Amino acid sequence: MPDDHYINIFVARKKPGNVSDFKAQHEENQEVLEKYTLPYSKGMSALDALDNIRKLYDPSLAYPHSCRHGKACRLCLAEIDGKVDYLCSTLARDGMIIKSIPGREIIRDLIVNR
Amino acid sequence: MNIKHSVITTDVLVIGSGCTGLGAALEIAKEGLEVVVVEKGEKSGQCGASIMAIQLACAALGVWEEDSPELHAQDTIKWGRGLSDPKIVARMTERAPARILEFEKWGMKFATKDGKLQQLNSPGHTRKRALYVDFKYGTGRSMMQALSNQLKPFTNLKIIKNTYIRELLKSGDQVAGAIGFDVANGEIVVFHAKTVVLATGGGMEVYGRNSGSRHLTGDGYRLAFLAGAPLLDMEFVQFIPMGTLYPNFPGLVMTILEPMSYRTGGRLTNAQGEEFLDRYIDGGLKATRDIISYAMAKEVLEGRGTPHGGLYFEPGYSVGAEGLAEEYGQQFLDQFKSVGINIASAKVEVFPIAHYFMGGIRIDADGRTPVGGLLAAGEVAAGIHGANRLAGNSLTDVMVFGQVIGESAVEDARKRSFLPIEISDAINKFQAEIINRLNLPIDPEINFSKLRENLQNEMLRNVGPVRTGAGLQETLDRIIGLEQLLQSIGFRDNTLVFNQELIDLFEFESMISTAKLIVQAAIYRKESRGAHHREDFSIELPEWTRNIILKYKPGQPQAQIDLSS
């Protein structure tokens, strides 16, 4: 793919509810899949894509990350196209769907209780 | 609106959970004192620079040739260009051999050869004293696992995550606690302690391309500075030469090619195919990082850079796939294969990236700062590396000084009492600050993410390996502009749990403070020395063999500057 293309990335968003009551939060406040259109560059990771969403569209997007490119911190786990993997080591692609890791309470967006 | 708050009382508060912080906590816990480690990331021990280390730790073990702590100290001071504190250096080099063996005993997997610990040559060290861990384990990961395992038995040690410390609390002129924000619960937390240990690491996140984590925003420099602790050598920021530029290697640290430069004969050329380093220095890629980084930056500035603004590096130039596999393991090659690169035959674009802060808080050889109740060590402190750090001396620093500072904290906490602090005043002030921010209007064109990038680009442009007085001044003015802009930016979101904009605000305040200190010192130092290279004062001057000391002056926008004698 040439460097000057745009890609669409879908991210599961969720606002925090009353943190002491996750059950109520789940009922009141459902996950929403948001679509973001981003400039693509070769070698761009899923984590780079989320960083760009924050810069270009919504600075409140929350996702676990620290070291950014080393799989060193082992924080940036998410469900990427149905498979749990690190955001920093997964190449971004058009139509990619990023959700929080399944089976955990969602605190906010891609951040889960762990 | 009222923000929830809690108060935690402990003998010792340790801020930061890298190798220094956890190393200190271990010593304190062993002595039976209550210790709380507070970490701003989501996992302790995993959000700073320690875990990311892929390279060396140096100690005069003398496995393969005669060596001594004195020689190790001599090399360190020589390449620190005379700015290191000999007493602090001696503490590190004397303790390093035993401390390395202790980490090995705890399970750190140092590489061996013929049944003995392997020790390599590394730039600037006159003896084979660099130990490493194979790529398949990871130096930092292995070190932090070994240390974390030691902490498990202690119930008097508590780790608090997701909590951003915003201010050290004082009782008169003594530090007696800290206030912060727990972003996971949306709560203010006050810590009341007899002794506070700062182990927050460096601030390379102020630079656009850096080898650290996003959490390394210089928080400790700001905290200590505002608490009245002097900082020194802030103008010296180490750039690591072979930072990957193009293509991007997703999932691999940006320093991954560095060992190929001096260990296995990689080749560095400019866009014209010339091995240009010979024009700048003897010894080529075996020279120290400050000199190579300068030469690379200069080459690009003079128009001989690659399409993406770097230089070409061929990691397998001398040894090929077999040689790389032999030295670094097959898994090393496979990591690149998994992202579509044959690294043995690749010609990649590289450019120096911000890697390490030599300067920081003034400490003595026991890790005590001039401010009572406040200790500091590791990258946030100054004194060991001077104007340029040698490869392998940072891990040694954090392994040794975690222990040193832990011992000092025990001694101090036993002598000191809980000094009175104005807890409700601190909470009210911090709460008002947050609520005020939540009520500010939103400017759709500006957000903290963009401002952060502005600052990072500005620092890269004028405060990297090549500097000029005019460029530094221009950047200082822009930083002050960003600082003013920062006051008026509202949040899109007014909830408090994992409010990313609130986190960004906290970090950006630290980054602005840190960047200002670096630039202010860099403007003041009118010579070139180590990692600080001024085009308008391009030689090292003997009268500048002194530290620039920065002190906070309440009400003043810039630090007061003193010089060491």
Side-chain angles (χ1 to χ4, degrees), chain A residues 43 66 68-69 72-73 108, chain B residues 46 141 205 214 248 252 493:
Chain A
S66 180
R68 286 177 304 204
H69 26 228
C73 69
R108 176 178 205 133
Chain B
Q46 285 176 230
R141 176 153 296 278
E205 183 68 0
R214 68 152 289 143
N248 183 27
L252 299 179
D493 171 58

Side-chain angles (χ1 to χ4, degrees), chain A residues 3 15-20 41-46 48 51-75 77 87-91 107-114, chain B residues 4 41-43 46-48 51-52 137 141 145 161 184-185 205 208 210-215 246-254 308 339 446-450 452-453 456 492-501 504:
Chain A
D3 270 19
K15 280 218 167 192
N18 179 354
V19 279
S20 58
S41 63
K42 194 180 162 190
M44 179 178 171
S45 69
D48 294 332
D51 285 345
N52 282 330
I53 292 171
R54 260 161 50 67
K55 226 175 309 176
L56 299 173
Y57 299 105
D58 186 353
S60 74
L61 175 65
Y63 44 99
H65 66 302
S66 180
C67 79
R68 286 177 304 204
H69 26 228
K71 277 193 284 186
C73 69
R74 312 224 166 151
L75 278 183
L77 276 177
L87 292 161
C88 75
S89 60
T90 305
L91 286 166
I107 298 179
R108 176 178 205 133
D109 296 336
L110 303 177
I111 307 233
V112 297
N113 198 8
R114 56 177 173 186
Chain B
K4 278 193 275 180
E42 277 188 84
K43 284 190 176 179
Q46 285 176 230
C47 295
I51 193 82
M52 298 182 74
Y137 305 118
R141 176 153 296 278
Q145 263 168 6
K161 298 174 289 184
N185 293 304
E205 183 68 0
N210 71 73
S211 65
S213 81
R214 68 152 289 143
H215 285 110
Y246 193 87
N248 183 27
F249 303 130
L252 299 179
V253 289
M254 291 170 81
H308 295 88
V339 290
I446 302 175
N447 65 52
F448 290 109
S449 220
K450 278 187 199 163
R452 186 172 177 130
E453 198 182 33
Q456 290 174 329
R492 280 153 183 77
D493 171 58
N494 60 4
T495 57
L496 291 174
V497 172
F498 273 103
N499 185 321
Q500 193 57 50
E501 290 163 290
D504 284 348

Side-chain angles (χ1 to χ4, degrees), chain B residues 94-109:
Chain B
E94 281 160 16
R95 282 209 187 188
R99 190 63 171 161
I100 290 277
L101 296 177
E102 189 165 36
F103 269 80
E104 194 204 13
K105 192 183 78 189
W106 293 343
M108 188 168 173
K109 297 185 176 77

